[in-house]
Amino acid sequence: MLFFKPAEGTTAVARVAVDVVIKSEILDPQGKAILAALSRTGHPGISSVRQGKHFDLEVDDTVTDEDLEEIAGHLLANSVIEDWTVTRLDTR
Amino acid sequence: MLFFKPAEGTTAVARVAVDVVIKSEILDPQGKAILAALSRTGHPGISSVRQGKHFDLEVDDTVTDEDLEEIAGHLLANSVIEDWTVTRLDTR
Amino acid sequence: MSADLSTAAIVLDTVENAAATPDQQQPYRELGLKDDEYLRIKEILGRRPTEAELAMYSVMWSEHCSYKSSKVHLAYFGETTTDEMRSRMLAGIGENAGVVDIGDGWAVTFKVESHNHPSYVEPYQGAATGVGGIVRDILAMGARPVAVMDQLRFGPADAPDSQRVVPGIVSGVGGYGNSLGLPNIGGEVVFDSSYAGNPLVNAGCIGVLRADDMYTAHASGTGNKVILYGSRTGLDGIGGVSVLASDTFSGDGSAGAGSNARRKLPSVQVGDPFAEKVLIECTLEVFAKDLVVGIQDLGGAGLSCATSELASAGDGGMHIVLDAVPLRAEHMSPAEILSSESQERMCAVVTPDKVEGFLEVCAKWEVQADVIGEVTDTGRLIITHHGEVVVDVPPRTVAHEGPVYRRPIERPAGQDALQANTSASLPRPSQDELGDLVLRMVASPNLCSRAWITDQYDRYVRGNTVLSQPADAGIVRVSEDSFLGLAMSTDCNGRYTMLDPYTGAQLALAEAYRNVITTGATPTAVTDCLNFGSPEDPAVMWQLSQAIHGIADGCAILGIPVTGGNVSLYNQTGATAILPTPVIGVLGVIDDVRRRIIPGIGHDDGETLILLGETYDELDGSEWANLVHGHLGGLPPRVDLEAERLLGEILLAGSRDGMVSAAHDLSEGGLAQAAVEMCLTGETGARLVLPPGIDPFVALFSETSARVLVAVPRTEELRFTEMCTMRRQPWVKVGVVDADDPEGQFLDVQGIRRIPLAELRKAWQGTLPAIFGPSVVGSSEL
Amino acid sequence: MTARVGVITFPGTLDDVDAARAVRYSGVEAVPLWHADADLHGVDAVVVPGGFSYGDYLRAGAIAAQAPVMRAVIDAAKSGMPVLGICNGFQVLCEAGLLPGALVRNAGLKFVCRDQWLRAENTTSAWTSRYESGAEILIPLKNAEGRYVAPEAVLDELEGEGRVLFRYIGSATADTTLAPANPNGAQRDIAGICSADGRIAGLMPHPEHAIDPLTGPTDDGLGFFFSVVDFLEGVKVS
Ligand SMILES: Nc1ncnc2c1ncn2[C@@H]1O[C@H](COP(=O)(O)OP(=O)(O)O)[C@@H](O)[C@H]1O
Ligand SMILES: [Mg+2]
């Protein structure tokens, strides 16, 4: 797996997903362009598209939920314009 | 929700999330740069970061799973270098 | 290890193993090798090649790396280059890129390379990595890259697939070049149906260096270390060799499992311009600190190419340890590591005492760097993996002694018919249709403004760009504390080349030359990027050899050498080849960039418009025949390189003595196009008086070569025209600049139509945005 | 002694050479500052130049804002040192919290390189005092993420306190249907803003590329660099 190097003395590696979306009051031209393309190509049933970012992280068990919140809120997302959610996925 | 316009003659509007990630074999320069930044700023516990796209769609009940697959695979993702997953979220 | 057949299938395919299993089937055909080529490899090695060796030979003996079909023809460039022409050449054909001495202790290296097929598969990444590749070529000469250019050819602008290909390729060129901090100073865009299934993406780069700081790709000095630095090595672009893994490994077994689990990937690479920018600065610092002996970029064929070329250009021996190569994926087989086309990597040869210093510079730039081997005197390239020898070959046989073919050549049966089908039979517009035709022509995809494309490219970064779009040639000064400048233009009209490849190629050379002299610079050296169809088609080989002879003979007349180039074959859709497209790049030098000639009129108040050169009725293969009649036939305009040379002297003198305030050469679209562009670029109106005794339609739209439209300050008019007459330069006064028409700005084509510049601007600039969407959106409500 | 103006280089910074040249054109010393070095080497002002620091990956300026040198810049700025962020530098200053709002993808979704007309709105800041109020200048603009956005309240505050430095305006000859005045959909046509004390400034267009008509459209950009020199010399005597 890319860059996979288990940190010293730790075993379990958990997968974490962070989703970042632009705040709804801020224009999302990409979402808008996709919505336009969708109606052009005959998909009337879609009423809204918003584009954001998705991050897959691999973290060891030294990484706490607080760490994740701080990483998501301070690096992965810009709280001025974006909202985010952190989801821990099943450990493998 | 911005741009929310219910399609004619339909009621339920479901929310769908599409996550698009670069195929694991293919270089993800952004993930690479973010991982480096994380280790510089003292987050050794993170062993891998992959950055993808996250899409929030609002779809009415005329939109089938096949439609969503086709939209994700042909419009939202570049199937040459990306994989994608479609998740229907609880109807509001 | 045991060479027992039953286990051989699941263990590393070592040299020992290969020797012990002579009859093992190998998928050499899938790897593109012909039977006799495979036999020759066995001959060279005295055994069957290992998987890794097979991967190396197959990619290095491919058309792309070995030039096996074009080599015999390219030799003609060498034969026709005189010592006189060579005098300023520091490096020529055979090096990563040609290098010419331009005086003041400065040298320039420049090259154009193709990345056609990958850009069709994945337009953005294909184009982006095309730019990345040519920039590393220039860097490998020891030069600082200072500018990029791009030559793009697409199917019809309104073809559905163009919506995918055009924006993707343009944003790929921009996305990569902009992030590298290299100004884009020019290029071409052509739309023609022959490129619909096979767009051409050629990318050019110019680099500058101190004349005595040149580096070359060679590994000499036994005991010197080989350092691989830059990005990690992954599965990028190994689509080709994945057949090995699946065909040879039985499925279980460590390496096998990894390889087999792998999905077949298309040969796409993803570019990381940030990594390349850092690689550039890091490499320039190791040059400055004199830490390298030889250096090679990793492009197509990755480590296979870099190691074999370094070794065979040096003392001939090298030992590489694949385990030392930093990987991005698990379980990569030796063949995969050697063939990976992961981008943003370089290979350096460093004396042992300087390794530490080298690694320090890399660390400063956070660039991964690892010693992966060393130079030996064994005369063999030996590569080990997990302590086993997987490659043991004479490097020259991989890098320089690949197969050479004299392919059958035959002038196509239809060529005579094509040339006989002239434009004479095509209905021509009446006098009162000419005004509309001017507007229709400037709005056509091949003649309209390129701003939709060039506005997506940074032309300012580094602060040395003195001339860029719209201009006949781009100009950058060599450094911020010098007025010495470089001019470059690239051109090719594939329609002309189709009608007559020899003349067409010379016309491409003539236009690039003319574009350079039109800016006041002196043409100094030539590069080419020869895009053609399949070499297995004798007609294509005829086009190729004709074009090469045309270019070489033309360069001999002009007295400037071809310093390098690139050949891209198999550009076709099914059985139909693209228009033969030998893109020619001419590099010029200008001793003082402050005297550059600009393309826009209106700088001096009171300018006279003078047309330099004779105009003939030459409309075969013209843009008019293409746009209005969809016709291609007859003979291209005649080429007169002596006339181009004389034009050069006139413009040089004119610019030196301040007799010329603006100039634009005539090419596709003729006088009408040039006049419109000079007005719109200068945002100034003009009155155009068509020369007497010549049909107005021909005067406006003929594409006769060796012509330039110049604006001369009225005070200089007499001096300038006397100089022309004295030097036997044909000239005719065709109008005046008219900045202060009370009713506004017009191009007044006298006796035909007085067209408001606003109307011309809408026509000229509106076309590409209308097809591909606006490039600039100002309101937050789309 | 003459003023010393620092110019930061992050990995991926591109217009640092241009910013340093512009500083020298204004007659003072340009001091290179390295991203990994938390020391500002005693400079009197800092320019955070344009480019693609860290490839603009994640978000333009986001990764650079975390660099050691930025911690030093933030401290210095808080104690009144003039700081100018140009293009990527503006993005870095917003990401670092030194200026409000954010710069997001151009509304046209494309990189835009063009000569841009601007109107001077605030001519009292440390970086704009050389301009006449209402002056119209022409300087290059080149970016893909230049659309300034901020909550309405913040925009109102910026306007109320006169902290909008420059606004995008159209050119006389351009066809506005093809070339709108606002190049990226920035809210209220904002091209640049400054801090309440007028010392921290950021803008998307590139004044350092308009210091010599030989290599730029004009020399209209020099005003920024002369302004800060005036400011520093004023500060020194007082
Ligand atoms: N793909 C491109 N990339 C960058 N610049 C381009 C490209 N295509 C055209 N240009 C620029 O647009 C201007 C007009 O192009 P063109 O009409 O082909 O010039 P010419 O006819 O003098 O060769 C020139 O400055 C040229 O360099
Ligand atoms: Mg020209």
Side-chain angles (χ1 to χ4, degrees), chain A residues 6-84:
Chain A
E8 295 309 306
T10 66
T11 48
V13 167
R15 292 184 54 246
V16 176
V18 177
D19 289 312
V20 174
V21 296
I22 300 187
K23 290 194 162 134
S24 57
E25 58 272 22
I26 293 176
L27 168 77
D28 170 17
Q30 282 157 298
K32 247 180 153 176
I34 293 165
L35 190 63
L38 282 171
S39 46
R40 269 202 310 277
T41 55
H43 297 91
I46 306 203
S47 50
S48 157
V49 178
R50 302 281 292 171
Q51 176 168 342
K53 300 191 186 108
H54 174 84
F55 300 91
D56 279 323
L57 312 185
E58 291 195 351
V59 309
D60 65 29
D61 46 24
T62 66
V63 179
T64 66
D65 290 355
E66 294 63 42
D67 296 337
L68 290 173
E69 265 311 308
E70 122 96 24
I71 288 166
H74 287 91
L75 185 68
L76 301 184
N78 174 348
S79 54
V80 175
I81 46 170
E82 297 167 325
D83 301 322
W84 66 91

Side-chain angles (χ1 to χ4, degrees), chain C residues 167 175 177-182 271-275 277-278 364-366 452 454-467 477 480 483 593-594 596 683 758 761-762 765-766 769 772-780 782, chain D residues 9-15 17-18 21 24-25 34-36 52-55 57 106-115 140-142 147 171 173-175 177-180 182-187 189 209 212-217:
Chain C
N178 295 341
S179 312
L180 281 189
L182 293 178
D272 181 353
F274 168 62
K277 167 64 179 175
V278 177
K364 169 187 166 188
W365 290 99
E366 294 173 17
W452 184 87
T454 55
D455 284 0
Q456 297 183 50
Y457 301 158
D458 183 347
R459 57 182 180 269
Y460 284 111
V461 66
R462 298 201 67 76
N464 291 321
T465 308
V466 171
L467 201 58
R477 54 181 181 187
E480 72 176 63
F483 289 116
V593 294
R594 287 169 298 185
R596 74 202 182 283
E683 297 186 340
R761 188 176 293 111
K762 238 190 181 34
Q765 289 184 345
F772 299 110
S775 54
V776 177
V777 173
S779 93
S780 19
L782 298 178
Chain D
T9 298
F10 301 101
T13 293
L14 306 177
D15 304 86
V17 285
D18 305 286
R21 185 185 306 120
R24 287 195 302 274
Y25 271 49
W34 183 243
H35 69 105
F52 288 74
S53 56
Y54 297 95
Y57 297 150
N106 293 346
L109 300 177
K110 291 190 173 63
F111 186 97
V112 176
C113 175
R114 72 179 197 184
D115 299 339
L141 168 124
K142 51 188 185 81
R147 176 166 52 109
S171 103
T173 50
D175 182 325
T177 59
L178 294 171
N182 179 329
N184 51 34
Q187 288 178 316
D189 299 329
H209 283 295
D212 178 352
L214 180 67
T215 52

Side-chain angles (χ1 to χ4, degrees), chain B residues 10-31:
Chain B
T10 65
T11 49
V13 168
R15 293 185 51 244
V16 176
V18 178
D19 289 315
V20 174
V21 296
I22 297 185
K23 287 179 178 165
S24 58
E25 302 87 341
I26 290 178
L27 173 69
D28 170 17
Q30 309 219 69

Side-chain angles (χ1 to χ4, degrees), chain C residues 472 511 515 664-665 667:
Chain C
D472 291 307
E511 186 184 351
N515 277 325
H664 189 14
D665 83 308
S667 55

